[in-house]
Amino acid sequence: MAEATRRRGKGRLDDGRLGDRLFDLELDHLPPEARWREWMHRVEATIFAASEPVGRETLAKIVGKSCSIDLLIDDIREELRGRPYDLVAVAGGWKHLTRPAYADAIRAAVGGNEGAVDLTQSEVLVLMCIAYFQPITRGELSSFFGKEISRDLMGHLRGAKLIASGPRSPTPGAPYTYVTTKEFLLEFGLDTLRDLPDFEALEDAGLLSKEKLLAGDISVAQRSEDDPASA
């Protein structure tokens, strides 16, 4: 029985070993240029094969201790400069994404992105407010916009996995707060919340007035009964 167990376990990745063969992270037997090229290939292959953004900790498992992940990524992106896709930092990791210039060609060939989230202008405004002021309660959101933000609107954002429940507020009744999610970062192509545009940029573009938002002067329409997303 023990021998059979050992045979079945052969070939499994365990603490850097592939079966009885050590997975060579350092590649000391290779010349420096060949070593760097192999590390580039490992990183690009791992990111290409993954369905979600691949983080630094994961990539560190397949390259040597002396290897700089950031420099590897820079060199891979340089080689992709003329390609229709790029290696993009998003949601705390890296992911292959096609360049925006080819969006029309992709839609013409395979149709729209079925995974894209359909949001009303009202939902975009509420989501933006959550992103900047999280953790925030539904009551606080209603105060910001001068009109009650419906549970249905919040439910649609939750259903799209763009927001989630945060810690309970210390205010009376201890209502739940809302925060954005990793899916929010993916949907809007952000690496972290620090990549959100600042208010000055939004105001310069005429998209938002911080004073009006905080004063509750921005009207937020609720979903109508004819809007399928309100069902």
Side-chain angles (χ1 to χ4, degrees):
M1 178 65 72
E3 181 62 29
T5 301
R6 282 195 294 271
R7 285 199 301 269
R8 286 197 300 270
K10 220 161 184 127
R12 294 175 57 187
L13 187 62
D14 183 19
D15 296 332
R17 292 186 177 275
L18 188 60
D20 292 335
R21 179 170 58 85
L22 182 66
F23 180 64
D24 188 358
L25 300 181
E26 304 300 334
L27 300 175
D28 291 332
H29 63 286
L30 294 177
E33 290 186 7
R35 182 188 312 136
W36 190 258
R37 174 63 58 180
E38 175 61 21
W39 282 336
M40 286 175 62
H41 287 170
R42 289 179 180 182
V43 166
E44 187 172 7
T46 300
I47 296 172
F48 182 84
S51 59
E52 297 289 336
V54 181
R56 184 182 305 273
E57 295 78 9
T58 299
L59 296 178
K61 297 177 182 178
I62 59 173
V63 298
K65 295 178 181 179
S66 63
C67 177
S68 167
I69 300 295
D70 292 317
L71 291 179
L72 272 183
I73 295 293
D74 287 345
D75 282 356
I76 295 171
R77 294 196 67 195
E78 182 63 28
E79 291 198 346
L80 295 178
R81 186 177 294 276
R83 306 298 298 168
Y85 51 87
D86 194 6
L87 204 56
V88 178
V90 62
W94 286 277
K95 184 177 178 65
H96 279 101
L97 294 176
T98 51
R99 298 185 188 275
Y102 299 96
D104 290 341
I106 294 171
R107 280 193 292 268
V110 299
N113 182 4
E114 295 181 358
V117 180
D118 180 24
L119 298 177
T120 66
Q121 182 179 7
S122 300
E123 288 165 342
V124 171
L125 284 172
V126 171
L127 183 59
M128 182 169 58
C129 191
I130 295 171
Y132 280 104
F133 296 105
Q134 61 187 302
I136 187 171
T137 66
R138 187 166 66 92
E140 290 170 330
L141 287 168
S142 297
S143 296
F144 280 160
F145 291 105
K147 183 174 182 178
E148 183 181 4
I149 303 302
S150 72
R151 295 181 184 276
D152 287 344
L153 187 152
M154 301 300 289
H156 186 240
L157 294 178
R158 283 181 65 102
K161 299 182 179 180
L162 297 174
I163 63 172
S165 295
R168 285 187 178 271
S169 171
T171 57
Y176 280 108
T177 61
Y178 293 95
V179 296
T180 54
T181 62
K182 180 179 178 180
E183 284 74 11
F184 167 82
L185 297 175
L186 284 169
E187 180 68 21
F188 292 94
L190 303 173
D191 187 18
T192 71
L193 291 173
R194 291 190 295 272
D195 296 325
L196 286 167
D198 57 31
F199 273 105
E200 287 75 13
L202 293 175
E203 288 179 319
D204 290 344
L207 299 176
L208 180 67
S209 167
K210 183 177 182 180
E211 288 73 19
K212 287 184 177 181
L213 177 62
L214 295 176
D217 291 339
I218 297 179
S219 175
V220 178
Q222 305 300 311
R223 284 186 174 273
S224 68
E225 293 181 359
D226 296 332
D227 191 335
S230 65

